[in-house]
Amino acid sequence: MTVSATLLQDPARLAAFIKDTARTLGLSRCAITDTQLDEHETHLLNWLDDGFHGEMHYMERHGTKRSRPADLVEGTQRIISVRLDYFPPEAADAWAVLHDPNAAYISRYALGRDYHKVLRARLQKLAHHITEQVGPFGYRAFTDSAPVLEKALAQKAGLGWIGKHSNLLAQDAGSWFFLGELYTDLPLPVDPPQQQSHCGSCSACIQACPTQAIVAPYRIDARRCISYHTIELKGSIPVEFRKAMGNRIYGCDDCQLVCPFNKFANDTQVDDFAVRHNLDSASLVDLFSWSEAQFGERMAGSPIYRIGHERWLRNIAVGLGNAPSSPAVINALEQRKTDPSQLIREHVEWALQQHCL
């Protein structure tokens, strides 16, 4: 009997091989679940009905493909769910940056290389190793790149529970990790789900949200979320949220920073997630001076590249509007008062008004 035939006829042994291989590839955790997401589908549809997705119309367009894996990838029987730690230990202290109004705060996940490429490459390697053992099989790798309920799948696989801030939490790893999936047609045994939430009566994340986007435990109104405004929103940032943004120019980590479980978080072992271009503590004025060519060169291979130079400047203009008045801040804003982009001009004008100019 061949090795492949042996493994295919022993699903438990194949599952153990997959998890061992994932570990050798540097993935933090790996577990397996099925495709039943009925409860999570109800939560998704209610969230969409409430309009909490804002202008993320793709969420509504994809509908139940997110909650029905076999509708997205025909033949899917099992999902291999993985975690990959990303917190860069050398990064400047997050609270110190948030409390320095002249510094630019960038979500810790975006300080290094684009996680989509890094994690997807490891998932593809995992699939390759499985193929070497069992022969060709049906699969697709996903890393926040398709209509996938990745947190729901990870919870079902036992990798953690969904916290009140809607992020996946693990008792031994907090929430500073990425999630990825292999949809497969392999009849693998499933792991027990995470049944219990350990958030208890804690409401630290709800209280910490600068814009009160966590409207109830486990319910996020993206239309109020700083991450949504600085990353997903293509147009003008609503004036009502600009002051609350402070110096957060790409994403927001406040709900994770206050979570008590992140004292158990693991620093990343992935060199690609190391800080690039001093993005962990760069000044708003310096970043605002980047030309489009400089942005393209420096953000190549970064998740930030996706928002483009125009929205990058839009976000920083708000940060400069919230910064203390100084000749450097005023001069930086004045330099872009006549920018060709109406979007940038609008936010620069608002920022100058905050300095009574």
Side-chain angles (χ1 to χ4, degrees):
M1 184 177 290
T2 66
V3 173
S4 60
T6 301
L7 281 181
L8 282 174
Q9 292 183 21
D10 190 347
R13 184 180 164 203
L14 176 55
F17 167 80
I18 290 169
K19 294 172 186 176
D20 288 343
T21 304
R23 193 175 304 113
T24 65
L25 291 172
L27 295 165
S28 310
R29 279 289 306 277
C30 173
I32 301 165
T33 189
D34 59 31
T35 62
Q36 297 302 310
L37 292 169
D38 295 349
E39 178 183 345
H40 296 281
E41 179 175 292
T42 299
H43 181 83
L44 169 66
L45 294 177
N46 289 337
W47 185 76
L48 291 170
D49 285 343
D50 287 335
F52 286 172
H53 56 302
E55 294 183 11
M56 294 185 289
H57 301 301
Y58 59 87
M59 297 288 296
E60 192 169 9
R61 190 165 59 248
H62 292 142
T64 56
K65 277 190 176 181
R66 291 184 179 277
S67 50
R68 302 178 187 182
D71 286 357
L72 180 64
V73 181
E74 187 177 355
T76 298
Q77 295 188 52
R78 297 290 185 265
I79 292 97
I80 301 168
S81 180
V82 303
R83 294 190 333 224
L84 181 61
D85 299 322
Y86 69 74
F87 197 90
E90 78 282 8
D93 179 75
W95 286 120
V97 177
L98 280 170
H99 290 138
D100 179 355
N102 290 302
Y105 188 84
I106 293 173
S107 189
R108 304 292 92 172
Y109 84 83
L111 297 177
R113 284 188 57 80
D114 189 341
Y115 66 97
H116 297 89
K117 299 176 182 178
V118 175
L119 182 48
R120 190 181 297 118
R122 296 187 183 215
L123 287 168
Q124 291 289 355
K125 288 181 180 178
L126 178 59
H128 173 73
H129 286 298
I130 298 171
T131 300
E132 285 184 330
Q133 294 297 316
V134 304
F137 71 102
Y139 76 89
R140 278 187 65 185
F142 297 112
T143 308
D144 192 24
S145 56
V148 172
L149 285 182
E150 58 180 12
K151 289 177 284 189
L153 289 167
Q155 180 178 330
K156 279 209 67 180
L159 295 186
W161 73 95
I162 298 174
K164 293 178 182 179
H165 49 19
S166 84
N167 294 308
L168 193 78
L169 278 167
Q171 282 184 289
D172 61 346
S175 62
W176 301 110
F177 48 73
F178 298 123
L179 297 173
E181 302 78 35
L182 273 181
Y183 279 32
T184 81
D185 62 0
L186 298 171
L188 299 165
V190 299
D191 292 297
Q194 174 82 36
Q195 297 282 12
Q196 181 181 0
S197 166
H198 296 277
C199 291
S201 61
C202 179
S203 60
C205 60
I206 298 173
Q207 296 169 15
C209 180
T211 54
Q212 292 79 57
I214 309 174
V215 296
Y218 316 105
R219 290 181 64 77
I220 312 300
D221 187 346
R223 299 167 300 182
R224 303 186 63 87
C225 178
I226 291 174
S227 288
Y228 168 78
H229 292 142
T230 57
I231 300 172
E232 300 295 339
L233 186 66
K234 295 180 180 179
S236 178
I237 295 171
V239 173
E240 64 182 297
F241 299 119
R242 293 181 190 179
K243 295 299 291 184
M245 278 177 56
N247 61 348
R248 301 167 184 83
I249 67 163
Y250 187 91
C252 179
D253 291 330
D254 290 43
C255 63
Q256 296 190 85
L257 289 169
V258 300
C259 179
F261 282 100
N262 270 325
K263 65 185 177 184
F264 304 114
N266 303 305
D267 292 337
T268 187
Q269 302 298 311
V270 181
D271 291 341
D272 279 325
F273 296 149
V275 178
R276 305 170 77 196
H277 305 297
N278 298 315
L279 290 177
D280 57 330
S281 59
S283 79
L284 292 162
V285 168
D286 286 347
L287 296 182
F288 202 55
S289 70
W290 286 9
S291 67
E292 186 169 6
Q294 288 172 321
F295 174 86
E297 177 187 356
R298 295 168 186 175
M299 293 295 97
S302 163
I304 300 173
Y305 184 84
R306 179 169 78 89
I307 69 171
H309 186 239
E310 182 182 42
R311 281 191 275 167
W312 171 252
L313 294 180
R314 175 201 64 182
N315 297 347
I316 300 172
V318 174
L320 288 169
N322 293 325
S325 293
S326 70
V329 167
I330 302 303
N331 181 62
L333 289 167
E334 292 280 0
Q335 292 296 313
R336 294 201 182 272
K337 277 183 67 173
T338 58
D339 192 277
S341 165
Q342 189 277 333
L343 183 67
I344 295 171
R345 292 197 309 272
E346 177 205 340
H347 289 76
V348 166
E349 180 180 351
W350 175 88
L352 287 169
Q353 289 173 356
Q354 310 315 299
H355 299 284
C356 300
L357 294 174

